[in-house]
Amino acid sequence: MADARGGNRLAKPRPLSPHLSIWKWGPAMAVSILHRVSGNAMATVGLLILLWMVGAIAAGPDAYADFAAVMGSWIGIIVLIGISWSFFNHMSSGIRHLVLDVGAGYEVDRNNRWSTISILTGILLTVAFWAVVLLA
């Protein structure tokens, strides 16, 4: 008997390809997922903060003072650190993807090594950026 999709209802359901149970988590998979997460974070949260800032500037000194107070609070600093990490992580993994686009670095060991370096670079650049911002 055929179901609505034209398949056999009596046949054993097959797993979708690629089946998740055959994949092992590794640095290359993590950097790929983090690249998507950081891009989406910049596109949503970063855009909302930018629009809020521009709107506060347009609304006058009192509205901008409110914006600055929120962004200067502990929760605002955490959000800004997250946005800056998103930027530096996305940039470092984007450079990694650029190298992969030219056909280099596909060997498993090299790919895993550069994936780990990409993640660490995003973290280190974020720490260095905020060290300069907070100490200068």
Side-chain angles (χ1 to χ4, degrees), residues 1 13 17 19 33 44 58 61 68 76 83 86 88 98 101 106 110 126:
M1 299 203 74
S17 177
H19 195 260
I33 292 169
T44 55
I83 290 297
S86 293
F88 289 119
L98 181 64
D101 285 345
Y106 279 103
R110 183 173 292 172
T126 303

Side-chain angles (χ1 to χ4, degrees), residues 81-82 84-86 88-89 121-131:
I81 289 172
S84 60
W85 169 81
S86 293
F88 289 119
N89 180 72
T121 300
I123 293 169
L124 292 175
L125 287 173
T126 303
V127 169
F129 174 78
W130 280 96

Side-chain angles (χ1 to χ4, degrees), residues 57-127:
I57 290 171
D62 291 337
Y64 185 75
D66 292 340
F67 169 79
V70 172
M71 287 296 114
S73 69
W74 66 271
I75 190 77
I77 297 293
I78 290 173
V79 170
L80 292 175
I81 289 172
I83 290 297
S84 60
W85 169 81
S86 293
F87 172 76
F88 289 119
N89 180 72
H90 200 77
M91 180 184 68
S92 64
S93 64
I95 292 169
R96 176 184 165 271
H97 282 283
L98 181 64
V99 171
L100 290 172
D101 285 345
V102 298
Y106 279 103
E107 300 82 13
V108 174
D109 291 339
R110 183 173 292 172
N111 195 350
N112 286 337
R113 188 176 331 114
W114 282 108
S115 297
T116 303
I117 290 170
S118 173
I119 293 170
L120 293 176
T121 300
I123 293 169
L124 292 175
L125 287 173
T126 303
V127 169

Side-chain angles (χ1 to χ4, degrees), residues 1-11:
M1 299 203 74
D3 63 5
R5 294 176 298 177
N8 188 345
R9 288 188 310 188
L10 301 177

